[in-house]
Amino acid sequence: MRRGLRIVLSTAFGALLAGAGSVWAADPEIDKLLQSPVGKDWVTNGGNLTNERYSALKQIDTSNVKQLKGAWMTRLKGSGFGGKYSFEATPLVKDGIMYIVTGNDDVFALNAKSGEFLWERWSGIDQKITSVCCGWDNRGLAMGEGMLFLGQLDANVVALDIKTGEEVWKTPIEVWQDGYGITSAPLYYDGVVYSGITGGEYGIRGRLTALDAKTGKILWRFFTLPGPGEVGADTWPAGNDQYTHGGAAIWNTPALDSQLGLIYFAVGNCGPDYDGAAREGDNLFCASVVALNAKTGEHVWHFQEVHHDIWDYDAASPVLLFDTTINGQPRKGIAQAGRTGWVYILDRTNGKPLIGIEERAVPQEPLQKTAKTQPYPVGDAIVPQCAQPMEGYERAGCIFEAFWEEPTLIQPSGIGGTNWSPMSYNPDTGDFYVPGTIRTSAFSRYGDTYKKGQRYNGGTQAAPIGSAMSGSWTAIAATTNKIAWQKNVPYRVGSGGGSTTTAGGLVFHGDPGGTIQARDAKSGEVLWQFQTGFGAEATPMVYGVDGDEYVAIAAGGNQGVGSANGDAVWAFSLKGQVNPLWPPPLPPMVAGPTGPIADNADTIKIGAFNSEYTYSPGRDRVKAGSAVTFTNVGDIPHTATAFENGKIGSWDTGALSSGESKTITFDKPGTYYYICTPHPWMYGQIIAE
Ligand SMILES: [Cu+2]
């Protein structure tokens, strides 16, 4: 009843807020679904406008989930299949048709009951895009007015005819050559398409862009880096143009409260990521949650999770709207799972902490212009927040430890905590289901000069060779921010796939080892798992066709975690007959180079075999005095840079563009580890004997 009432209210308020020009919604059916509990149709990335990822379907429940089998599995014709891709999209389903987008921005329509192809649209995007931060990826689609909407890696927002896949319009937000791209799923509501933008690692100026759904015309932009005189401008150094290239990307889909007329989104890190020297101040709106008037784009409130971020602790996971009761009072909440390992829980009417967030003094490094205090949410973190000391490293600390050029071990690493992966919220338990990455980084700053369209990090944060990497699933109580249950898992799960929860008392999520799993929402116990055959690192969704409930997940791996590549979509139901596949190769649990040791290879190829972020061979044994040539055969610039207990650059190829080579001679016997500084999850090893 409560939910039903909310829908009626929001329609009335929505009409009032919208003004005379758009009293009649352009797509009343989709707008209604977007404001309702999610049933048989899942019409936007986060299920509905809340991003709760909660399905009201309950045919599959804790008592029968172990009977789930594959209803169908469809391979998407090799789209997005390869080492450079991640497959993170949540499929959409409407009226028995599934729509899915791959890491190559190719879109497929499938019969949601059988998995058969209905149409396909190959993006034709340039295969030489050099502004891809962290793998070729697309997190999903939006729909409305008979169209599907997607953002592309080449920074275009595109509308397709939902019946045929034919392009209706295409609007460039920027050009990729200047460092821009799009990986987030857009949000459609009330005639408007809202899109984020990436490029926080390439010196861009972040923004949320609102487009007219019918024509693709840009209605307004909200820049996440304020210009002179705008709200937040005083958090940047005066007379400095850092705001024109300070990053602040939007990695994920906004949420929208139609009653309040507000749109909400999470903002990424500042650039340069690890060097705060030239950007004294808190640096709004980096690492923040922002609320805007959904019609005009005007700033309404913001909450910054990390002041003057130098750790890449940005807000990358989608914001989530939920309603709850605290001290007998109904409250309108918004939550975001940060890379810091905390869930930030706020009042979505005004951006104030709902449970409590304290500003506490933190370690200082004057050269970094560190912020004096940082926000500490009341409650529990989902991952450890102190690094263990390691041999060879002189400095180790906890979250917000300061650093400069001396390598400093810190946990969480800059990739989380929770990175891009979405959490879900179940109103029946009152818990968020939060994916976590447990990993240490060795942070060090080296400085970078801004050049339009070039990588702009100012430092690096590789995990120490031999350090452990794992993950966790945590239920966090929305009214206390405390752990309800927590389960450790072998692989990092905060970077790709998130969770989905149901009225059947279940939490569904994928696993980099290839399984999709169902947990009891109350206890966290795994009740069912099924091997998809590929890295299952996308967020599942739930839908219904002809009275049957289905669970679906994309399985195609994640280049950052190293899970197995693929191009599969799986759907499961209680009537399913399809058996599991063999387990794929497993991702690493220890940081460092992997694979067999080659003998006397005189050339190391970077980005070979369409695996953009690899050295081949990754390990090589040569005679002392040998010359080894590093050749970039990939698409984007890479380096091979000495990495000795976190110290960078005693030898270095420098940035090698596609086709370029550099020869290094290894005179002294010894083991030489190296990384790619822009992509510090790439490792190599030369053993000189
Ligand atoms: Cu690289």
Side-chain angles (χ1 to χ4, degrees), residues 499-514:
S499 67
T500 293
T501 185
T502 73
L506 296 166
V507 178
F508 289 98
H509 64 77
D511 183 78

Side-chain angles (χ1 to χ4, degrees), residues 637-638 676 679 682:
H638 297 283
C676 174
H679 312 116
M682 294 171 61

Side-chain angles (χ1 to χ4, degrees), residues 606 612-613 615 636-639 676-679 682:
I606 311 178
E612 187 66 39
Y613 306 86
Y615 300 104
I636 66 181
H638 297 283
T639 74
C676 174
T677 47
H679 312 116
M682 294 171 61

Side-chain angles (χ1 to χ4, degrees), residues 70-77 91-93 95-100 107-120 543 545-546 550-553 567-573 576 578:
W72 52 264
M73 186 272 277
T74 295
R75 303 286 301 266
L76 299 178
K77 306 187 177 184
L92 303 186
V93 170
D95 298 331
I97 300 175
M98 175 180 289
Y99 306 93
I100 179 91
V107 183
F108 298 84
L110 307 174
N111 180 321
K113 209 171 159 172
S114 66
E116 287 166 296
F117 288 96
L118 298 175
W119 56 255
E120 58 206 77
Y543 64 94
V545 187
D546 294 341
Y550 295 79
V551 180
I553 190 169
D567 58 352
V569 183
W570 275 94
F572 304 92
S573 79
V578 185

Side-chain angles (χ1 to χ4, degrees), residues 604-624:
I604 310 280
K605 288 182 177 159
I606 311 178
F609 311 115
N610 207 24
S611 288
E612 187 66 39
Y613 306 86
T614 55
Y615 300 104
S616 175
R619 305 169 75 195
D620 187 16
R621 187 187 288 116
V622 298
K623 292 197 178 65

Side-chain angles (χ1 to χ4, degrees), residues 78-165:
S79 172
F81 189 172
K84 73 177 184 183
Y85 297 100
S86 296
F87 198 2
E88 292 182 25
T90 304
L92 303 186
V93 170
K94 172 118 196 326
D95 298 331
I97 300 175
M98 175 180 289
Y99 306 93
I100 179 91
V101 59
T102 69
N104 198 54
D105 297 330
D106 305 325
V107 183
F108 298 84
L110 307 174
N111 180 321
K113 209 171 159 172
S114 66
E116 287 166 296
F117 288 96
L118 298 175
W119 56 255
E120 58 206 77
R121 185 259 184 183
W122 294 78
S123 68
I125 57 169
D126 193 331
Q127 294 297 306
K128 299 287 176 195
I129 294 174
T130 57
S131 56
V132 179
C133 149
C134 324
W136 285 48
D137 187 27
N138 187 317
R139 302 202 163 85
L141 303 162
M143 70 167 72
E145 302 179 37
M147 289 175 278
L148 287 174
F149 307 101
L150 71 146
Q152 297 190 155
L153 285 166
D154 61 6
N156 284 285
V157 177
V158 178
L160 307 179
D161 185 315
I162 200 166
K163 290 212 172 72
T164 63

